[in-house]
Amino acid sequence: MNRCVASVGTFDGVHLGHKAVIRRVLDEASARGLDSRLITFTNHPLSVIAPDRTPLWATSRYDTLCRLDGSGVTRVSELDFTSGLAALPAVDFLRLIHDRYAVDVLVMGPDNSFGSDRLASHAAYEAAGREAGVEILFVDEVLSPNGVRPSSSALRRMVADGDLKGYEDLSGNVPVISGTVVRGKRNGTRIGFPTANIDVEGQQPLRQGVYTGWMVFDDEDEHTGCYFGLLNVGTNPTVGDNNPVTYEFHIPGASLGPLYGRDVSVRVIGYLRPDRRFDSMADLKKAIAADVRALGNILVSLAQGDPGFIDSLSEPSGRFLIKSLRRR
């Protein structure tokens, strides 16, 4: 195993602070002729240390792992955070990653911390590193273009508020929800707008409403590609009271067949309107048709800027049918 420069954390949302750490890992590895590695926990440390305070993920873990894999590092490793790991003082944790993952240099964020002994300063971590044979480097604090300090907790608040612009400013990414397509009540199919009902677990709930986004299949097959469509997050109040919140994705013009059991991800890129109760199913159908027209107009604007990425786009009877889109 080649020796490496590394960083450790959950990397939830891969925000600007995480990206600064990753850049430093890559730069140091290149300068020293070492490999680069990111070690990410499979579960949030609070799930072991303080289970009642365990946060939901700001974005899907699938999305986080994809972004880490695409960051340019030599290797991404996943580590279960256990009670045994939580009990280790900082120097013993450093010895563990030195021996198990060949870490010679560890890059930390300005407020990064680990170890049951709760070291209080950068100098204390540097001293523990010297004892364990790991050089410790810290990156400076970074701010978003609007002067906001990036954090995963801030991203969670933005998801809850439906603040897509704020999320993108703080991370350079968009929120992604991932889950498995499950059987729904088929209300959408009955009114001509079939949806994929996505079972989303462990992620910060998105503010209820209708969004635009790209859906991709996490397991590639004949449906490989991006599908532009409508994401409805809500309780379907028009069809009854006290319904649970569901995530339903409609792809205009697509005939993909049954998708039950498929793992999918949706990149949420725009907000159209709030979730609301309509007086009748006919009124709901009219509202969704208006959403589809708005979606088509958005896609046409995107196509004018970059026409090469669209496989097929048609406009019969004034209604846009958006078909398969190549993965970019």
Side-chain angles (χ1 to χ4, degrees):
M1 184 184 300
N2 294 334
R3 308 306 299 180
C4 67
V5 180
S7 187
V8 180
T10 61
F11 297 99
D12 186 20
V14 195
H15 55 61
L16 299 181
H18 296 140
K19 290 178 178 180
V21 168
I22 293 169
R23 283 195 300 273
R24 183 71 182 276
V25 168
L26 291 169
D27 290 345
E28 292 291 337
S30 176
R32 298 166 186 253
L34 299 175
D35 281 359
S36 54
R37 186 191 293 263
L38 300 175
I39 304 168
T40 181
F41 297 122
T42 59
N43 54 314
H44 199 285
L46 284 177
S47 67
V48 173
I49 298 170
D52 58 325
R53 293 193 289 116
T54 306
L56 297 167
W57 298 114
T59 194
S60 79
R61 288 303 289 168
Y62 178 82
D63 177 59
T64 292
L65 289 172
C66 286
R67 293 191 183 282
L68 297 183
D69 283 334
S71 67
V73 297
T74 309
R75 184 172 287 107
V76 176
S77 301
E78 293 185 84
L79 175 63
D80 295 333
F81 194 90
T82 64
S83 57
L85 205 62
L88 292 178
V91 67
D92 288 338
F93 178 76
L94 288 167
R95 289 191 180 107
L96 182 150
I97 63 172
H98 178 270
D99 295 341
R100 182 183 299 180
Y101 298 110
V103 177
D104 282 349
V105 182
L106 182 69
V107 178
M108 298 176 61
D111 297 325
N112 212 186
S113 63
F114 54 81
S116 60
D117 45 351
R118 299 179 179 275
L119 300 183
S121 66
H122 289 187
Y125 279 103
E126 290 165 350
R130 286 192 293 273
E131 186 176 345
V134 178
E135 182 181 355
I136 305 293
L137 301 175
F138 287 92
V139 299
D140 295 330
E141 182 177 76
V142 299
L143 299 176
S144 76
N146 295 325
V148 179
R149 183 176 176 276
S151 69
S152 298
S153 58
L155 292 182
R156 285 191 290 274
R157 289 194 299 271
M158 291 168 178
V159 171
D161 293 341
D163 182 4
L164 304 183
K165 179 63 165 60
Y167 190 104
E168 188 169 4
D169 286 345
L170 210 57
S171 66
N173 311 320
V174 297
V176 176
I177 62 110
S178 293
T180 304
V181 178
V182 297
R183 190 176 296 275
K185 296 182 178 180
R186 298 181 62 81
N187 291 314
T189 299
R190 293 188 186 97
I191 61 173
F193 298 98
T195 61
N197 290 263
I198 306 169
D199 183 14
V200 178
E201 292 186 3
Q203 295 175 226
Q204 174 62 51
L206 186 63
R207 177 189 175 189
Q208 294 183 31
V210 179
Y211 298 83
T212 58
W214 301 97
M215 188 176 82
V216 300
F217 292 91
D218 297 346
D219 49 339
E220 299 183 5
D221 66 356
E222 70 273 14
H223 297 322
T224 295
C226 297
Y227 295 85
F228 197 44
L230 297 168
L231 174 68
N232 184 80
V233 181
T235 60
N236 296 300
T238 304
V239 301
D241 298 321
N242 303 316
N243 297 316
V245 173
T246 58
Y247 288 71
E248 302 178 55
F249 197 82
H250 171 63
I251 308 169
S255 298
L256 302 181
L259 300 176
Y260 305 128
R262 297 293 302 276
D263 294 326
V264 299
S265 294
V266 177
R267 296 171 56 83
V268 185
I269 63 170
Y271 176 79
L272 288 182
R273 62 173 174 84
D275 186 38
R276 54 163 291 199
R277 182 191 298 273
F278 293 91
D279 293 335
S280 67
M281 293 297 284
D283 288 342
L284 173 59
K285 184 174 180 178
K286 290 178 184 177
I288 298 174
D291 295 336
V292 170
R293 289 193 294 272
L295 181 74
N297 291 331
I298 293 168
L299 185 60
V300 168
S301 296
L302 293 173
Q304 289 172 345
D306 184 7
F309 80 94
I310 296 183
D311 283 341
S312 178
L313 175 66
S314 57
E315 188 186 357
S317 305
R319 177 181 171 189
F320 291 95
L321 299 183
I322 299 94
K323 298 185 179 179
S324 178
L325 296 145
R326 288 194 299 272
R327 181 169 296 174
R328 305 190 72 181

